[in-house]
Amino acid sequence: MAKRTPDQTPSDASAETDAAVSPPADEKLQKVLARAGCGSRREMERAIVAGDVSVNDRTATLGDRVSEKDKITLRGKPVSAQKDTSKRRVILYNKPEGEICSRQDPEGRRTVYQALPKISGERWISVGRLDFNTSGLLLFTNDGDLANKLMHPSSVIDREYLVRIQGDVDDDMRKRLLEGVLLEDGVARFTDIVDGAGESRNRWFYCVVMEGRNREVRRLWESQGVRVSRLKRVRYGNIFIPSHVRVGQWLELDYREIADLCQTAGLETERVAKPKSSREAATLRERHERKLRAGKGRKPPRLKKAPPKKPRR
């Protein structure tokens, strides 16, 4: 607490205290860009380092802070620093095996972004990733702030997976996996392991992790000498895959679901897009769910093989 000098009035002391605790009016540049839906914070940091961002007609550098009055451009396109330039949207995608979580792939493989709905003037940001051979729940949002919060370890959000194990799993192995195993990037552990279906050396388990490390679930099991033959994410925080959302289909979360997700991440809910009426929102949701049940969602098409080259004469 600030101390009041003898010649200082109570109002002066109060003003000084208020100034000391008031948050700064400016924010980190990468945070503003992420909130505007330009990409994740890491993507925006890379864009700044690459010289793709300018502030007030000058090339930005990593560490710059901006306010709502600053003129920001990303690759020549203007970006608003206003805090409420858009409304939060979140979609749930049931990822199939054989898709990668990148926007483009030099090998020509299908990406998860090809199955998502178009979003005008913004881009979908993935909340974490899943391996090429891992299926299940992926969340996407137009808000980089929300994506960053949901992925950050400090938010302590659990992820639940269904995994099929080939090999013997005994009580001692479970105990080691729950207490912690030293991997190449530090100690990791499951917070819960529950039996699923199967018997003998081919069994299913539900397991929960609190971090989003690269291939963490696979590496934990493989550290015990068993093989992961199937892996599917079934839950992220309070969000589950609805039974009617088939593999390769997506569903947009409603106002209440997004508000709960923001609360889990520790964010305010003012920017969640409220429906014009509860009846209208329910009608739109029911219409989309009927399409999903009928198999009319955007399923990934089979990749066509390139025609064989004609032999030269």
Side-chain angles (χ1 to χ4, degrees), residues 192-207:
D192 197 13
I193 303 174
V194 178
D195 286 343
E199 297 179 355
S200 185
R201 293 174 57 85
N202 200 353
R203 299 169 60 186
W204 289 90
F205 296 92
Y206 290 95
C207 50

Side-chain angles (χ1 to χ4, degrees), residues 275 277-290:
S277 69
S278 57
R279 180 177 298 179
E280 178 186 6
T283 300
L284 292 173
R285 176 77 171 236
E286 289 173 5
R287 188 180 303 165
H288 184 69
E289 289 183 353
R290 282 199 299 269

